[in-house]
């Protein structure tokens, strides 16, 4: 909730300071508590609760006895684990780079558009793919990736892909998943960056222009440093989402008649452990490993990106 | 409230996975989200049993007429039909769902149809804290006379340690399908050995490019070529032990058939269910080694090749020179009754009806019935239909020579082939050079599933 409120902040066109509760009024202090309460309850029930339960499961065996690190040892030694970890790492790396570079560039371009209606139309166009539900947008891609049905068929054939099975060669998958994820997720982030750019005071930009900075110089020296926090925020949330890659490979596995394996990503492997091998402890161990890695990487970004610095301005 | 574009949605998947651990309430809520994994088996599938007096039946799209036939014959029966993917192509939907319900302690369907024939290997085993999913059928639930009526050996995949856990829907013995008219037009003879088959394929590729003599783009490729060649890559030697030798001479020769055909274009690497297969090869399939159900599912199907009447011929399985012919088998579905069913009699009546009654097995079934009396009538009816260019004795012959050296382990050989070898075949790589990779993948999968590899 705290982050969500923060995220809402840049969307206000440099409005005045938010009207907070007046000091000294005790009843007003209940309002934020009431507002945060439903979220906290849900977070405990569906976020922290299951996470703690998974942690407990991962250190016990099927009968509930303490198992030490047996479950972890077992899943890490599984022949599918290194492959799945590599797939996810490749995908996340590709996707984050793609996301950071393109979202920032596109947001800067849209922000630089002087005609109001053009900017509005562009922002709307960016957002449309994100409005499709996750699974259905992946289904759409199943057609896009099939040279027989795809509107982009000439391009696919140019790359030497004659059939759906050609397009989804294992080496192509990280790129394919990164493209799908970018297409479905980038639009919303472009809007966030746009809002962040609007938050930069006009007088700062004005001063830079008077000093003779061109648009590129302004972007590099003024705008980028000032939206760094939002880029970090995007990276962290995307990292958390990306490590949980599940929907895309699962659907593609179904559509390709198992040519894309149903244990392509770590999350799928966890699913297989639970529901194919009935090994919920091993499944929990994979989930906990994912959580640890995500938290570790996220904290690096939090520390480097200054996300929780209070506005000292 | 700011809308986070995509992360939250992804997270829901994790919530879904963890919610499964939390319990049934959360699952019911997420059920609709799971449509993804098994089209159609979402919200209604999660709803579980139809309550007392009724049964819930899971079928795949091809088996929907079976359920309709039962309802037509028993209009008063309370049967809720749920459509799912039939666990096809190694999706393992059946197994994963039942594990989910085991964990929740409720929600099992009463009857499940599976396109796989290896499900008894796990459905007959108890999971921690739960009895096995499959009810024992030969303890009086199904009439012993009915059980005896099944073609000899057809209930083997359903039999674990002497008890029958499922009824076989159809046999899927591999035969050689061919287009009689195209054979005549192009001046070819139907081959009688694998060696002749390879030679003819080479000639076809050279003389009539674009005409094909088989397909290797599907997950069941090993069941057609490897199994039919006595390849010992999948010899189940006990309830939890398997012997894997994927580089034996019998496997190499089958792999050479695949490699040669892919190299010269006589074997297509497209799946026979891919839309582009129909576009490219309509009336261009000279011959195709494939299971019995290819007749109804591919050749005589208006949505697939739609081969006109009087052209489809069927030849007995090909032998290797100097050997007796054996053949493979691709699936052949199975019907399970849940041990958790509150209405086991109705469930048993249902599986008995759909596997033995003429109304479905003779009138409508696309594949060769496993129930012998129905199979005879089905063959007679197929021959009468005038669709085939030859008699169908080859099917009966093939049904009796399915090689027993290829087992039905708890994991899907099709899934192993699909993710290890299909990309390789598609890319034009050599199967012969990668047989050890395939064997390694089978061994790995077996170990993960708790098998001792010998």
């Amino acid at each position: 909730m705290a982050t969500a409120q923060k995220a809402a902040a840049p969307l206000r066109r440099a409005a005045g300071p938010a009207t907070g509760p007046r000091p000294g009024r005790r009843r007003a202090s209940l309002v934020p508590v009431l507002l945060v309460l439903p979220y906290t309850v849900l977070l405990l029930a569906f976020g922290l609760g299951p996470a703690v339960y998974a942690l407990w499961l991962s250190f016990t065996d099927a009968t509930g006895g303490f198992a030490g690190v047996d479950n972890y040892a077992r899943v890490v030694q599984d022949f599918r684990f290194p492959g799945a970890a590599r797939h996810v790492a490749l995908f996340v790396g590709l996707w984050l780079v793609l996301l950071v570079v393109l979202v920032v560039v596109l947001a800067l371009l849209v922000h630089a558009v002087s005609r109001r209606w053009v900017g509005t139309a562009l922002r709307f166009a960016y957002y449309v793919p994100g409005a499709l539900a996750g699974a259905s947008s992946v289904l759409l891609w199943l057609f896009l990736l099939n040279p027989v049905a795809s509107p982009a068929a000439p391009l696919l054939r140019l790359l030497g892909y004659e059939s759906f099975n050609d397009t989804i060669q294992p080496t192509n998958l990280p790129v394919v998943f990164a493209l799908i994820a970018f297409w479905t997720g980038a639009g919303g982030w472009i809007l966030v960056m746009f809002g962040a750019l609007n938050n930069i005071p006009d007088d700062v930009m004005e001063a830079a222009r008077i000093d003779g900075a061109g648009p590129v110089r302004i972007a590099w020296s003024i705008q980028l440093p000032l939206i760094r926090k939002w880029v970090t925020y995007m990276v962290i949330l995307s990292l958390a989402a990306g490590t949980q890659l599940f929907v895309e490979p699962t659907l593609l596995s179904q559509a390709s008649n198992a040519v894309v394996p149903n244990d392509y990503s770590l999350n799928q492997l966890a699913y297989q452990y639970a529901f194919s091998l009935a090994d919920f402890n091993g499944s929990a161990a994979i989930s906990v490993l994912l959580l640890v890695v995500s938290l570790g990487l996220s904290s690096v970004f939090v520390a480097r990106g200054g996300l929780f610095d209070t506005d000292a301005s | 409230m700011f809308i986070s574009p995509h992360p939250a949605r992804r997270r829901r998947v994790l919530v879904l996975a963890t919610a499964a651990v939390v319990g049934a309430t959360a699952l019911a809520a997420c059920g609709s989200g799971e449509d993804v994994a098994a089209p159609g088996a979402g919200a209604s599938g999660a709803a579980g049993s139809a309550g007392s007096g009724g049964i819930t039946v899971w079928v795949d799209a091809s088996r929907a007429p079976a359920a309709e036939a039962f309802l037509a014959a028993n209009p008063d029966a309370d049967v809720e039909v749920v459509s799912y993917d039939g666990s096809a192509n190694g999706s393992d939907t059946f197994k994963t769902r039942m594990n989910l319900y085991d964990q929740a302690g409720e929600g099992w369907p009463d009857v499940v149809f599976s396109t796989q024939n290896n499900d008894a290997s796990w459905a007959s085993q108890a999971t921690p804290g739960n009895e096995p999913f499959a009810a024992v059928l030969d303890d009086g639930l199904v009439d012993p006379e009915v059980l005896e009526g099944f073609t000899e050996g057809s209930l083997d995949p359903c039999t674990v340690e002497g008890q029958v856990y499922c009824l076989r829907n159809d046999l899927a013995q591999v035969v050689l399908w061919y287009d009689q008219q195209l054979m005549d037009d192009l001046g070819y003879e139907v081959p009688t050995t694998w060696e002749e088959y390879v030679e003819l394929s080479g000639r076809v590729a050279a003389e009539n490019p674009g005409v094909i003599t088989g397909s290797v783009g599907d997950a069941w490729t090993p069941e057609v070529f490897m199994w039919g060649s006595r390849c010992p890559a999948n010899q189940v030697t006990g309830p939890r032990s398997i012997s894997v030798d994927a580089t034996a001479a019998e496997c190499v020769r089958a792999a050479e058939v695949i490699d040669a055909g892919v190299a010269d274009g006589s074997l297509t690497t497209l799946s026979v269910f891919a839309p582009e297969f129909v576009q490219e090869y309509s009336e261009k399939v000279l011959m195709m080694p494939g299971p019995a159900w290819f007749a109804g599912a591919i050749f005589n199907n208006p949505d697939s090749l739609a081969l006109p009447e009087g052209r489809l011929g069927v030849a007995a399985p090909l032998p290797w020179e100097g050997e007796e012919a054996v053949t493979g088998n691709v699936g052949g579905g199975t019907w399970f009754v849940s041990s958790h069913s509150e209405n086991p009699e109705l469930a048993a009546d249902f599986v008995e009806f759909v596997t033995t009654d003429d109304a479905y097995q003779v009138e409508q079934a696309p594949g060769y019935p496993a129930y012998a009396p129905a199979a005879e009538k089905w063959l007679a009816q197929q021959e009468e239909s005038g669709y085939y260019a030859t008699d169908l004795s080859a099917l009966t012959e093939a049904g009796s020579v399915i090689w027993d050296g290829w087992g039905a382990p708890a994991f899907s050989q099709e899934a192993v082939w699909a993710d290890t070898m299909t990309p390789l075949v598609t890319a034009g790589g050599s199967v012969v050079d990668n047989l050890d990779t395939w064997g390694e993948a089978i061994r790995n999968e077996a170990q993960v599933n708790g098998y001792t590899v010998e």
Side-chain angles (χ1 to χ4, degrees):
Chain A
M1 194 69 188
T3 42
Q5 277 178 334
K6 281 184 100 109
L11 293 173
R12 290 198 305 267
R13 268 190 177 271
T19 45
R22 266 181 270 163
R25 293 280 302 268
R26 213 187 289 167
R27 199 179 304 169
S29 65
L30 273 178
V31 175
V33 174
L34 280 176
L35 285 174
V36 173
L37 193 67
Y39 173 80
T40 314
V41 169
L42 290 175
L43 178 72
L44 285 172
F46 292 102
L48 290 175
V52 171
Y53 184 55
L55 197 65
W56 180 76
L57 270 182
S58 71
F59 286 107
T60 54
D61 57 24
T63 57
F66 183 69
V69 292
D70 287 359
N71 294 317
Y72 292 91
R74 192 173 62 254
V75 298
V76 173
Q77 281 163 356
D78 186 319
F79 76 100
R80 298 171 290 185
F81 187 88
R86 198 178 57 248
H87 294 154
V88 172
L90 261 174
F91 160 75
V92 171
L94 259 172
W95 182 40
L96 288 185
V97 170
L98 200 68
L99 200 63
V100 170
V101 173
L102 287 178
V103 164
V104 171
V105 168
L106 286 171
L108 285 169
L109 289 176
V110 174
H111 193 254
V113 170
S114 51
R115 291 221 172 109
R116 183 179 277 267
W117 67 268
V118 176
T120 311
L122 277 174
R123 292 207 302 279
F124 179 71
Y126 287 145
Y127 192 70
V128 167
L132 279 172
S136 51
S137 60
V138 179
L139 285 175
L140 193 70
W141 273 86
L142 294 181
F143 292 99
L144 283 176
L145 294 170
N146 191 334
V148 173
S150 174
L155 180 65
L156 289 172
R157 293 217 160 85
L158 198 69
L159 294 167
Y161 306 137
E162 292 297 329
S163 71
F164 185 52
N165 275 0
D166 284 339
T167 319
I168 54 165
Q169 289 282 323
T171 44
N172 294 349
L173 288 175
V175 179
V176 167
F177 293 142
L179 281 175
I180 297 177
F182 180 81
W183 184 80
T184 49
W189 287 118
I190 292 173
L191 296 192
V192 173
M193 293 303 149
F194 182 82
L197 288 169
N198 278 341
N199 230 16
I200 297 171
D202 286 343
D203 51 355
V204 177
M205 304 280 286
E206 197 63 29
R209 268 194 284 273
I210 289 167
D211 288 345
V216 176
R217 181 67 202 269
I218 289 180
W220 188 253
S221 304
I222 310 277
Q223 291 172 308
L224 271 184
L226 284 172
I227 62 167
R228 191 183 65 159
K229 258 184 207 184
W230 308 112
V231 176
T232 310
Y233 175 65
M234 172 175 81
V235 166
I236 291 173
L237 280 193
S238 305
L239 184 84
T243 49
Q244 294 168 24
L245 181 67
F246 185 91
V247 175
E248 289 87 345
T250 303
L251 277 176
L252 216 48
S253 178
Q254 292 273 322
S256 68
N257 297 338
V259 171
V260 175
N262 58 9
D263 45 28
Y264 181 85
S265 75
L266 286 171
N267 224 359
Q268 285 180 294
L269 191 59
Y271 181 84
Q272 290 299 322
Y273 259 88
F275 302 120
S276 182
L277 303 174
D279 178 355
F280 287 82
N281 308 91
S283 183
I286 296 177
S287 310
V288 172
L289 284 173
L290 263 181
L291 181 71
V292 169
V293 170
S294 292
L295 279 178
L297 287 171
S298 300
S299 37
V300 169
F301 285 114
V302 169
R304 306 280 311 170
L307 189 62
F308 295 145
D309 297 356
T310 45
D311 293 329
S313 57
Chain B
M1 185 76 197
F2 145 78
I3 300 164
S4 145
H6 170 121
R9 217 178 292 131
R10 281 279 187 83
R11 205 171 311 134
R12 196 179 317 145
V13 176
L14 185 71
V15 168
L16 189 143
T18 22
V21 186
V22 172
T25 30
L27 267 179
C30 291
S32 53
E34 287 186 319
D35 276 358
V36 169
S44 50
S49 92
S52 59
I55 55 170
T56 303
V57 174
W58 281 21
V59 290
D60 68 338
S62 308
R63 248 49 58 170
E68 282 160 23
F70 178 81
L71 286 171
N74 305 277
D76 298 336
D78 177 6
V79 177
E80 189 195 343
V81 180
V82 175
S83 168
Y84 87 121
D85 71 352
S87 227
N89 296 310
S91 74
D92 250 2
T93 309
F94 176 26
K95 187 180 181 182
T96 53
R97 288 309 172 87
M98 294 316 121
N99 267 316
L100 208 72
Y101 298 140
D102 278 351
Q103 199 66 19
E106 63 179 7
W108 302 276
D110 302 87
V111 172
V112 178
F113 172 83
S114 169
T115 59
Q116 309 291 312
N117 59 16
N118 63 346
D119 286 309
S121 58
W122 62 263
S124 62
Q125 307 296 314
T127 55
N130 272 289
E131 54 191 290
F133 167 76
V136 175
L137 300 181
D138 57 346
D139 271 359
L141 204 53
V142 172
D143 186 352
E145 280 179 27
V146 171
L147 288 172
E148 277 164 29
F150 282 84
T151 301
E152 198 179 332
S154 64
L155 291 180
D156 286 356
C158 290
T159 311
V160 179
E161 291 169 322
Q163 303 242 265
V164 178
Y165 289 92
C166 56
L167 294 186
R168 192 76 181 269
N169 180 70
D170 55 307
L171 284 182
Q173 66 275 41
V174 173
V175 291
L176 182 64
W177 297 104
Y178 62 93
D179 182 342
Q180 181 74 59
Q181 192 180 316
L182 199 55
M183 280 277 178
D184 295 343
D185 289 353
L186 301 178
Y188 296 126
E189 290 285 319
V190 179
T192 56
T193 63
W194 278 108
E195 285 83 355
E196 286 176 18
Y197 171 86
V198 172
E199 189 204 1
L200 178 57
S201 294
R203 278 178 56 200
V204 170
E207 297 164 8
N208 297 290
V211 174
I212 53 167
T213 59
S215 69
V216 290
D218 286 291
W220 55 76
T221 301
E223 289 156 336
V224 173
F225 292 92
M226 297 290 178
W227 191 340
S229 173
R230 293 190 176 83
C231 166
N234 180 31
Q235 298 197 287
V236 177
T237 50
R240 278 290 176 268
S241 59
I242 188 171
S243 136
V244 181
D245 180 7
T247 52
E250 291 87 351
C251 312
V252 174
R253 67 187 183 187
E256 282 168 347
V257 175
I258 298 171
D259 283 351
V262 172
D264 66 19
S266 59
L267 293 177
T268 176
T269 56
L270 292 176
S271 160
V272 295
F273 290 130
E276 52 265 52
F277 172 81
V278 179
Q279 284 177 7
E280 270 187 60
Y281 299 115
S282 203
E283 310 217 358
K284 285 189 178 170
V285 179
L286 179 68
M287 52 183 178
M288 190 180 280
W293 50 262
F294 267 20
I298 296 173
F299 294 105
N300 190 14
N301 177 352
D303 300 327
S304 186
L305 288 177
L307 192 67
E309 219 168 71
R311 291 178 58 168
L312 184 64
V314 54
L318 298 173
W320 288 85
E321 247 163 51
E323 291 182 20
E324 290 284 303
V326 293
T327 196
N329 172 83
V330 181
T334 43
W335 294 91
F336 286 84
V337 172
S338 164
S339 61
H340 310 279
S341 176
E342 287 171 13
N343 202 340
E345 290 76 21
L346 181 57
D349 284 350
F350 184 92
V351 296
E352 241 179 85
F353 178 94
V354 292
T355 52
T356 64
D357 198 279
D358 293 0
Y360 175 67
Q361 284 293 354
V362 178
E363 308 294 329
Q364 306 194 58
Y368 182 97
Y371 187 63
E376 271 175 51
K377 293 183 211 164
W378 183 85
L379 277 175
Q381 198 187 36
Q382 294 285 328
E383 285 177 353
E384 271 169 39
S385 72
Y387 178 75
Y388 297 89
T390 59
D391 68 45
L392 299 178
S393 56
L395 279 170
T396 317
E397 197 179 320
S400 60
V401 294
I402 295 172
W403 185 56
D404 59 5
W406 186 279
F411 58 93
S412 165
Q413 283 286 356
E414 294 188 359
V416 174
W417 181 272
D419 87 41
T420 317
M421 303 304 275
T422 302
L424 187 97
V425 172
T426 309
S430 161
V431 177
V432 173
D433 296 347
N434 288 284
L435 284 171
D436 51 348
T437 316
W438 179 47
E440 191 55 33
I442 298 174
R443 278 190 285 274
N444 282 335
E445 198 64 41
Q447 274 161 349
V448 168
N449 280 273
Y451 278 79
T452 315
V453 181
E454 293 162 12

